[in-house]
Amino acid sequence: MDIDLRKLRYFVAVAEELHFGRAAARLHIAQPVLSRQISALETELHARLFRRDRRSTELTPAGRQLLDDAPPLLAAAGALLRRVQRAGLDRPRFAVGFMPGITVTDAVRALSGRHPDLAVDVVRTSYRDQARIVLDGRVDVCFVRTPVDQRGLQLRPLFSEPRVAVVPAGHRLAGKASVAIADLGRERLLQDPDAVPEWRDLPAHPDDPPRRPRPVLDSVEEKLEYVAADEGLIVLPLSTAAFYTRPDIVHIPIEDIGPGHVHLAWAAGRGSDLIAEFAELAADCYA
């Protein structure tokens, strides 16, 4: 049996929204059409994917399993399409993703020098998207910062660097030469706590008020705006903090947490000669 990728995309939308109306709006299709497509998928799979009543929609065990397995399959299909389209261009292309603060110029220039007919594109990404753009084929390789979800990726370590706390210029810690992670424990962190597990794992102080929910912020620029407005702090690799120099924020070395690590990532099992060559060039540049 062949899986219809369109139906699979429809399923993922409903599974993420847990609401057929919102999923239909997200997909720009009519709700009855969406319902028919999901029913057809359930028939093809011989499994019920959702439990529905007038009040709620929830996944069945089969639905939860499909939601685990579907996104990588859709990403792989998208990656295949993008790579085939790039291969069909008059001029071959190679795309390199990078995180803010990481300079990729030397490695890109070295690859272009070896392959004058190759068009090398650079694509800026974010902490949330850095693995996804490799898996869905938007880039061939990406300079990623750990922690990163390594499923489906192959990584090559490149370099490490200190991490710093970024606070408003008028903050109580702003004049210090360095701080300990415990000094930051009562602060509001404006990023995913999994990105700073040392802060996440600090014990709660009994006198602390409940922590305010953090805003959903995708870019470093958005987070720095909140820092400057005294809404909280963030922890960044030194190169990223230094890249975003501005007078209303300062960064302070953190004494007792490990460095940040940068790796080159590409899709596991996709070992092209060009990827291997670029990995060697990148390693040489950061040696």
Coordinates of all heavy atoms in Angstrom, one line a residue, residues 102-179:
I102 N 27.7 33.0 13.9 CA 28.6 32.1 13.3 C 29.0 32.7 11.9 O 28.1 32.9 11.0 CB 28.1 30.7 13.1 CG1 27.7 30.1 14.5 CG2 29.0 29.8 12.5 CD1 27.0 28.8 14.5
T103 N 30.3 32.9 11.7 CA 30.7 33.4 10.4 C 31.2 32.2 9.5 O 32.0 31.4 9.9 CB 31.9 34.4 10.6 OG1 31.5 35.4 11.5 CG2 32.4 34.9 9.3
V104 N 30.5 32.1 8.4 CA 30.8 30.9 7.5 C 31.5 31.4 6.2 O 31.7 30.5 5.3 CB 29.5 30.2 7.1 CG1 28.8 29.7 8.4 CG2 28.5 31.1 6.3
T105 N 31.9 32.6 6.2 CA 32.5 33.2 4.9 C 33.7 32.4 4.4 O 33.8 32.1 3.3 CB 32.9 34.6 5.1 OG1 31.8 35.3 5.7 CG2 33.3 35.3 3.8
D106 N 34.6 32.1 5.3 CA 35.9 31.4 4.9 C 35.6 30.0 4.3 O 36.2 29.7 3.3 CB 36.8 31.3 6.1 CG 37.4 32.6 6.5 OD1 37.3 33.6 5.8 OD2 38.0 32.7 7.7
A107 N 34.7 29.3 4.9 CA 34.4 27.9 4.4 C 33.7 28.0 3.1 O 34.0 27.3 2.2 CB 33.6 27.1 5.4
V108 N 32.8 29.0 3.0 CA 32.0 29.1 1.7 C 32.9 29.6 0.6 O 32.9 29.1 -0.5 CB 30.8 30.1 1.9 CG1 30.2 30.5 0.6 CG2 29.8 29.5 2.8
R109 N 33.8 30.5 0.9 CA 34.8 31.0 -0.1 C 35.7 29.9 -0.5 O 36.0 29.8 -1.7 CB 35.5 32.2 0.5 CG 36.4 32.9 -0.5 CD 37.2 34.1 0.2 NE 36.2 35.1 0.5 CZ 36.4 36.0 1.5 NH1 37.5 35.9 2.3 NH2 35.5 36.9 1.8
A110 N 36.1 29.1 0.4 CA 37.0 28.0 0.0 C 36.3 27.0 -0.9 O 36.9 26.5 -1.9 CB 37.5 27.3 1.3
L111 N 35.1 26.7 -0.6 CA 34.3 25.8 -1.5 C 34.1 26.4 -2.9 O 34.3 25.7 -3.9 CB 33.0 25.4 -0.9 CG 32.2 24.3 -1.6 CD1 32.9 23.0 -1.5 CD2 30.8 24.2 -1.1
S112 N 33.7 27.6 -2.9 CA 33.5 28.3 -4.2 C 34.8 28.4 -5.0 O 34.8 28.3 -6.2 CB 33.0 29.7 -3.9 OG 31.7 29.7 -3.3
G113 N 36.0 28.6 -4.3 CA 37.2 28.6 -5.0 C 37.6 27.3 -5.7 O 38.2 27.3 -6.7
R114 N 37.2 26.2 -5.0 CA 37.5 24.9 -5.6 C 36.5 24.5 -6.7 O 36.8 23.7 -7.6 CB 37.4 23.8 -4.5 CG 38.5 23.8 -3.5 CD 38.4 22.6 -2.6 NE 39.5 22.6 -1.6 CZ 39.7 21.5 -0.9 NH1 38.9 20.4 -1.0 NH2 40.7 21.5 0.0
H115 N 35.3 25.1 -6.7 CA 34.2 24.8 -7.6 C 33.6 26.0 -8.2 O 32.6 26.5 -7.8 CB 33.1 23.9 -7.0 CG 33.6 22.6 -6.4 ND1 33.8 21.5 -7.1 CD2 34.0 22.4 -5.1 CE1 34.2 20.5 -6.3 NE2 34.4 21.0 -5.1
P116 N 34.3 26.7 -9.2 CA 33.9 28.0 -9.7 C 32.5 27.9 -10.3 O 31.8 28.9 -10.4 CB 34.9 28.3 -10.7 CG 36.1 27.5 -10.4 CD 35.6 26.2 -9.8
D117 N 32.1 26.8 -10.8 CA 30.7 26.6 -11.5 C 29.6 26.4 -10.5 O 28.4 26.3 -10.9 CB 30.8 25.5 -12.5 CG 31.7 25.8 -13.7 OD1 31.9 27.0 -13.9 OD2 32.2 24.9 -14.3
L118 N 30.0 26.2 -9.2 CA 29.0 25.9 -8.2 C 28.4 27.2 -7.5 O 29.2 28.0 -7.1 CB 29.6 25.0 -7.1 CG 28.7 24.6 -5.9 CD1 27.6 23.6 -6.4 CD2 29.5 24.0 -4.8
A119 N 27.1 27.4 -7.5 CA 26.5 28.5 -6.8 C 26.3 28.1 -5.3 O 25.6 27.1 -5.1 CB 25.2 28.9 -7.4
V120 N 26.9 28.8 -4.4 CA 26.8 28.5 -3.0 C 25.9 29.5 -2.3 O 26.2 30.7 -2.3 CB 28.2 28.4 -2.3 CG1 28.0 28.0 -0.8 CG2 29.1 27.5 -3.0
D121 N 24.8 29.0 -1.8 CA 23.8 29.9 -1.1 C 24.0 29.8 0.4 O 24.3 28.7 0.9 CB 22.4 29.5 -1.4 CG 22.1 29.5 -2.9 OD1 22.6 30.5 -3.6 OD2 21.5 28.6 -3.5
V122 N 23.8 30.9 1.1 CA 23.8 30.8 2.6 C 22.4 31.2 3.1 O 21.8 32.1 2.6 CB 24.9 31.8 3.2 CG1 26.3 31.3 2.9 CG2 24.7 33.2 2.7
V123 N 22.0 30.5 4.1 CA 20.6 30.7 4.7 C 20.7 30.8 6.2 O 21.2 29.9 6.9 CB 19.7 29.4 4.3 CG1 18.3 29.6 4.9 CG2 19.7 29.2 2.8
R124 N 20.2 32.0 6.7 CA 20.2 32.2 8.1 C 19.1 31.4 8.7 O 18.0 31.4 8.2 CB 20.1 33.7 8.4 CG 20.1 34.1 9.9 CD 19.8 35.6 10.0 NE 19.9 36.1 11.3 CZ 18.9 36.0 12.2 NH1 17.8 35.4 11.9 NH2 19.0 36.5 13.4
T125 N 19.3 30.8 9.9 CA 18.3 30.0 10.5 C 18.2 30.4 12.0 O 18.9 31.3 12.5 CB 18.5 28.5 10.4 OG1 17.4 27.8 10.9 CG2 19.8 28.0 11.0
S126 N 17.4 29.7 12.8 CA 17.2 30.0 14.2 C 17.4 28.7 15.0 O 17.4 27.6 14.5 CB 15.8 30.5 14.4 OG 14.8 29.5 14.1
Y127 N 17.4 28.8 16.3 CA 17.6 27.7 17.2 C 16.5 26.7 17.0 O 16.7 25.5 16.9 CB 17.6 28.1 18.7 CG 17.6 27.0 19.7 CD1 18.8 26.3 19.9 CD2 16.5 26.7 20.4 CE1 18.8 25.2 20.8 CE2 16.5 25.6 21.3 CZ 17.6 24.9 21.5 OH 17.6 23.9 22.4
R128 N 15.2 27.2 16.8 CA 14.1 26.3 16.7 C 14.1 25.5 15.3 O 13.7 24.4 15.2 CB 12.8 27.1 16.8 CG 11.5 26.3 16.6 CD 10.3 27.1 16.7 NE 10.1 27.7 18.0 CZ 9.1 28.4 18.4 NH1 8.1 28.7 17.5 NH2 9.0 28.9 19.6
D129 N 14.7 26.2 14.3 CA 14.6 25.6 12.9 C 15.9 25.0 12.4 O 15.9 24.5 11.3 CB 14.2 26.8 12.0 CG 13.3 26.4 10.8 OD1 12.6 25.4 11.0 OD2 13.4 27.0 9.8
Q130 N 16.9 25.0 13.2 CA 18.3 24.7 12.7 C 18.4 23.2 12.2 O 19.1 22.9 11.2 CB 19.3 24.9 13.7 CG 19.2 24.2 15.0 CD 20.3 24.5 16.0 OE1 21.4 25.0 15.6 NE2 20.1 24.2 17.3
A131 N 17.7 22.3 12.8 CA 17.7 20.9 12.4 C 16.7 20.7 11.2 O 16.9 20.0 10.3 CB 17.3 19.9 13.5
R132 N 15.5 21.4 11.3 CA 14.5 21.2 10.3 C 14.9 21.6 8.9 O 14.5 20.9 8.0 CB 13.2 22.0 10.7 CG 12.0 21.7 10.0 CD 10.8 22.5 10.5 NE 10.7 22.4 11.9 CZ 10.1 23.4 12.7 NH1 9.7 24.5 12.2 NH2 10.0 23.2 14.0
I133 N 15.7 22.6 8.8 CA 16.0 23.1 7.4 C 17.0 22.1 6.8 O 17.1 22.1 5.5 CB 16.6 24.5 7.4 CG1 18.0 24.6 8.0 CG2 15.7 25.5 8.0 CD1 18.7 25.9 7.7
V134 N 17.7 21.3 7.6 CA 18.5 20.2 7.0 C 17.6 19.1 6.5 O 17.7 18.5 5.4 CB 19.6 19.7 8.0 CG1 20.4 18.6 7.4 CG2 20.5 20.8 8.4
L135 N 16.7 18.7 7.4 CA 15.9 17.5 7.2 C 14.9 17.7 6.0 O 14.6 16.8 5.3 CB 15.2 17.1 8.4 CG 16.1 16.7 9.6 CD1 15.2 16.4 10.9 CD2 16.9 15.4 9.3
D136 N 14.4 18.9 5.9 CA 13.5 19.2 4.8 C 14.1 19.6 3.5 O 13.4 20.0 2.5 CB 12.4 20.1 5.2 CG 12.9 21.6 5.4 OD1 14.0 21.9 5.0 OD2 12.1 22.4 6.0
G137 N 15.5 19.7 3.4 CA 16.2 19.9 2.2 C 16.4 21.3 1.8 O 16.9 21.6 0.7
R138 N 16.0 22.3 2.7 CA 16.3 23.7 2.4 C 17.7 24.0 2.3 O 18.2 24.9 1.5 CB 15.6 24.6 3.4 CG 14.1 24.8 3.2 CD 13.5 25.7 4.3 NE 13.2 24.9 5.5 CZ 12.9 25.5 6.6 NH1 12.8 26.8 6.7 NH2 12.6 24.7 7.7
V139 N 18.6 23.3 3.0 CA 20.0 23.4 2.9 C 20.6 22.0 2.9 O 20.0 21.0 3.3 CB 20.6 24.2 4.2 CG1 20.0 25.6 4.2 CG2 20.4 23.5 5.5
D140 N 21.9 22.0 2.3 CA 22.6 20.7 2.3 C 23.3 20.5 3.6 O 23.4 19.3 4.1 CB 23.6 20.8 1.2 CG 23.0 20.9 -0.2 OD1 22.5 19.9 -0.7 OD2 22.9 22.0 -0.8
V141 N 23.8 21.5 4.2 CA 24.5 21.4 5.5 C 24.1 22.7 6.3 O 23.7 23.7 5.8 CB 26.1 21.4 5.4 CG1 26.5 20.2 4.6 CG2 26.6 22.7 4.7
C142 N 24.3 22.5 7.7 CA 24.0 23.7 8.5 C 24.9 23.7 9.7 O 25.2 22.7 10.3 CB 22.5 23.6 9.0 SG 22.0 25.1 9.9
F143 N 25.4 24.9 10.0 CA 26.2 25.1 11.2 C 25.2 25.2 12.4 O 24.4 26.2 12.5 CB 27.0 26.4 11.1 CG 28.2 26.3 10.2 CD1 27.9 26.4 8.8 CD2 29.4 26.1 10.6 CE1 29.0 26.3 7.9 CE2 30.5 26.0 9.7 CZ 30.3 26.1 8.4
V144 N 25.1 24.2 13.3 CA 24.1 24.2 14.3 C 24.8 24.4 15.7 O 26.0 24.0 15.9 CB 23.3 22.9 14.3 CG1 22.7 22.7 12.9 CG2 24.2 21.7 14.6
R145 N 24.0 24.9 16.6 CA 24.4 25.0 18.0 C 23.7 23.9 18.8 O 22.5 23.7 18.7 CB 24.1 26.4 18.6 CG 24.8 27.5 17.9 CD 24.6 28.8 18.7 NE 25.2 30.0 18.0 CZ 26.5 30.3 18.1 NH1 27.3 29.6 18.8 NH2 26.9 31.4 17.4
T146 N 24.4 23.3 19.7 CA 23.8 22.3 20.6 C 23.3 23.0 21.8 O 23.7 24.1 22.2 CB 24.8 21.2 21.1 OG1 26.0 21.9 21.7 CG2 25.3 20.4 19.9
P147 N 22.2 22.5 22.5 CA 21.6 21.2 22.2 C 20.7 21.3 20.9 O 20.1 22.3 20.7 CB 20.7 20.9 23.4 CG 20.4 22.3 24.0 CD 21.6 23.1 23.7
V148 N 20.7 20.2 20.1 CA 19.9 20.1 18.9 C 19.4 18.7 18.8 O 20.1 17.7 19.3 CB 20.8 20.5 17.7 CG1 21.9 19.5 17.5 CG2 19.9 20.5 16.4
D149 N 18.2 18.5 18.3 CA 17.6 17.2 18.1 C 18.4 16.5 17.0 O 18.4 17.0 15.8 CB 16.2 17.4 17.7 CG 15.4 16.0 17.6 OD1 16.1 15.0 17.6 OD2 14.2 16.0 17.5
Q150 N 19.2 15.5 17.4 CA 20.1 14.8 16.4 C 19.4 13.7 15.6 O 20.1 13.1 14.7 CB 21.3 14.3 17.2 CG 22.1 15.3 17.9 CD 23.3 14.8 18.6 OE1 23.8 13.7 18.2 NE2 23.8 15.5 19.6
R151 N 18.1 13.5 15.8 CA 17.5 12.4 15.0 C 17.5 12.8 13.5 O 17.1 13.8 13.1 CB 16.0 12.2 15.5 CG 15.9 11.6 16.9 CD 14.5 11.6 17.3 NE 13.9 12.9 17.5 CZ 12.7 13.1 17.8 NH1 11.8 12.1 18.1 NH2 12.2 14.4 18.0
G152 N 18.0 11.8 12.7 CA 18.1 12.0 11.3 C 19.3 12.9 10.8 O 19.4 13.1 9.6
L153 N 20.2 13.3 11.8 CA 21.3 14.1 11.4 C 22.6 13.4 11.6 O 22.7 12.5 12.5 CB 21.3 15.4 12.3 CG 20.1 16.4 12.1 CD1 20.3 17.5 13.0 CD2 20.0 16.8 10.7
Q154 N 23.6 13.8 10.9 CA 25.0 13.4 11.2 C 25.7 14.7 11.5 O 25.6 15.7 10.8 CB 25.6 12.8 10.0 CG 27.0 12.2 10.3 CD 27.5 11.2 9.2 OE1 26.7 10.7 8.5 NE2 28.8 11.0 9.1
L155 N 26.5 14.7 12.6 CA 27.2 15.9 13.1 C 28.7 15.8 13.1 O 29.2 14.7 13.4 CB 26.7 16.2 14.5 CG 25.2 16.4 14.8 CD1 25.0 16.7 16.3 CD2 24.7 17.5 13.9
R156 N 29.4 16.9 12.8 CA 30.8 16.9 12.9 C 31.2 18.1 13.8 O 30.8 19.3 13.5 CB 31.5 17.1 11.6 CG 33.0 17.3 11.7 CD 33.7 17.0 10.4 NE 35.1 17.1 10.6 CZ 36.0 16.7 9.7 NH1 35.6 16.2 8.6 NH2 37.3 16.9 9.9
P157 N 31.8 17.9 15.0 CA 32.2 19.0 15.9 C 33.1 20.0 15.2 O 34.0 19.5 14.5 CB 32.8 18.3 17.1 CG 32.4 16.8 16.9 CD 32.3 16.6 15.5
L158 N 32.9 21.3 15.4 CA 33.8 22.3 14.9 C 34.5 23.1 15.9 O 35.7 23.2 15.9 CB 32.9 23.2 14.0 CG 32.4 22.6 12.7 CD1 31.5 23.6 11.9 CD2 33.5 22.0 11.8
F159 N 33.8 23.7 16.8 CA 34.4 24.5 17.9 C 33.5 24.7 19.1 O 32.3 24.5 19.0 CB 34.9 25.9 17.3 CG 33.8 26.8 16.9 CD1 33.3 27.7 17.8 CD2 33.3 26.8 15.6 CE1 32.3 28.6 17.4 CE2 32.3 27.7 15.2 CZ 31.8 28.6 16.1
S160 N 34.1 25.2 20.2 CA 33.3 25.5 21.4 C 33.6 27.0 21.8 O 34.7 27.5 21.4 CB 33.7 24.6 22.5 OG 33.5 23.3 22.2
E161 N 32.7 27.6 22.5 CA 32.9 29.0 23.0 C 32.1 29.2 24.3 O 31.2 28.5 24.6 CB 32.4 29.9 21.9 CG 31.0 29.8 21.5 CD 30.5 30.8 20.5 OE1 31.0 32.0 20.6 OE2 29.7 30.5 19.6
P162 N 32.5 30.2 25.1 CA 31.8 30.5 26.3 C 30.4 30.9 26.1 O 30.1 31.4 25.0 CB 32.7 31.6 27.0 CG 34.0 31.6 26.2 CD 33.7 31.1 24.9
R163 N 29.6 30.8 27.1 CA 28.2 31.3 27.1 C 28.1 32.4 28.1 O 28.8 32.4 29.2 CB 27.2 30.2 27.4 CG 27.1 29.2 26.3 CD 26.0 28.2 26.5 NE 26.3 27.3 27.6 CZ 25.5 26.5 28.2 NH1 24.2 26.5 27.9 NH2 25.9 25.6 29.2
V164 N 27.3 33.4 27.8 CA 27.2 34.6 28.6 C 25.7 34.9 28.9 O 24.8 34.5 28.1 CB 27.9 35.8 27.9 CG1 29.3 35.6 27.7 CG2 27.2 36.1 26.6
A165 N 25.5 35.6 30.0 CA 24.1 36.1 30.3 C 24.0 37.5 29.7 O 24.9 38.3 29.9 CB 24.0 36.1 31.8
V166 N 22.9 37.7 29.0 CA 22.6 39.0 28.4 C 21.5 39.7 29.2 O 20.4 39.1 29.4 CB 22.1 38.9 27.0 CG1 21.9 40.2 26.3 CG2 23.2 38.1 26.2
V167 N 21.8 40.8 29.8 CA 20.8 41.5 30.7 C 20.7 43.0 30.3 O 21.6 43.5 29.6 CB 21.3 41.4 32.2 CG1 21.5 39.9 32.6 CG2 22.7 42.1 32.4
P168 N 19.7 43.7 30.8 CA 19.6 45.1 30.6 C 20.8 45.9 31.1 O 21.4 45.5 32.2 CB 18.3 45.6 31.3 CG 17.6 44.3 31.5 CD 18.6 43.2 31.7
A169 N 21.1 47.0 30.5 CA 22.3 47.8 31.0 C 22.2 48.2 32.5 O 23.2 48.4 33.2 CB 22.5 49.0 30.1
G170 N 20.9 48.4 32.9 CA 20.7 48.8 34.3 C 20.5 47.7 35.3 O 20.1 48.0 36.4
H171 N 20.7 46.5 34.9 CA 20.4 45.3 35.8 C 21.3 45.3 37.0 O 22.5 45.8 36.9 CB 20.6 44.1 34.9 CG 20.0 42.8 35.6 ND1 20.8 42.0 36.4 CD2 18.8 42.2 35.4 CE1 20.0 41.0 36.8 NE2 18.8 41.1 36.2
R172 N 20.9 44.7 38.0 CA 21.7 44.6 39.3 C 23.0 43.8 39.1 O 24.0 44.0 39.8 CB 20.9 43.9 40.4 CG 20.5 42.4 40.0 CD 19.7 41.8 41.1 NE 19.3 40.4 40.7 CZ 20.0 39.3 40.9 NH1 21.2 39.4 41.5 NH2 19.6 38.2 40.5
L173 N 23.1 43.0 38.0 CA 24.3 42.2 37.8 C 25.2 42.8 36.7 O 26.3 42.3 36.4 CB 24.0 40.8 37.4 CG 23.2 39.9 38.4 CD1 22.7 38.6 37.7 CD2 24.0 39.7 39.6
A174 N 24.7 43.9 36.1 CA 25.4 44.4 34.9 C 26.8 44.8 35.1 O 27.6 44.7 34.2 CB 24.6 45.6 34.3
G175 N 27.2 45.2 36.3 CA 28.6 45.7 36.5 C 29.6 44.6 36.9 O 30.8 44.9 37.1
K176 N 29.1 43.4 37.0 CA 30.0 42.3 37.5 C 30.9 41.8 36.4 O 30.5 41.8 35.2 CB 29.1 41.2 38.1 CG 28.4 41.5 39.4 CD 27.7 40.3 39.9 CE 27.2 40.5 41.3 NZ 28.3 40.6 42.3
A177 N 32.1 41.3 36.8 CA 33.0 40.7 35.9 C 32.5 39.4 35.4 O 32.8 39.0 34.3 CB 34.4 40.6 36.5
S178 N 31.8 38.6 36.2 CA 31.2 37.3 35.9 C 30.2 37.0 36.9 O 30.1 37.6 38.0 CB 32.3 36.3 35.9 OG 32.9 36.1 37.2
V179 N 29.3 36.0 36.6 CA 28.3 35.6 37.5 C 28.3 34.0 37.5 O 28.9 33.4 36.7 CB 26.9 36.1 37.1 CG1 26.8 37.6 37.2 CG2 26.6 35.6 35.7

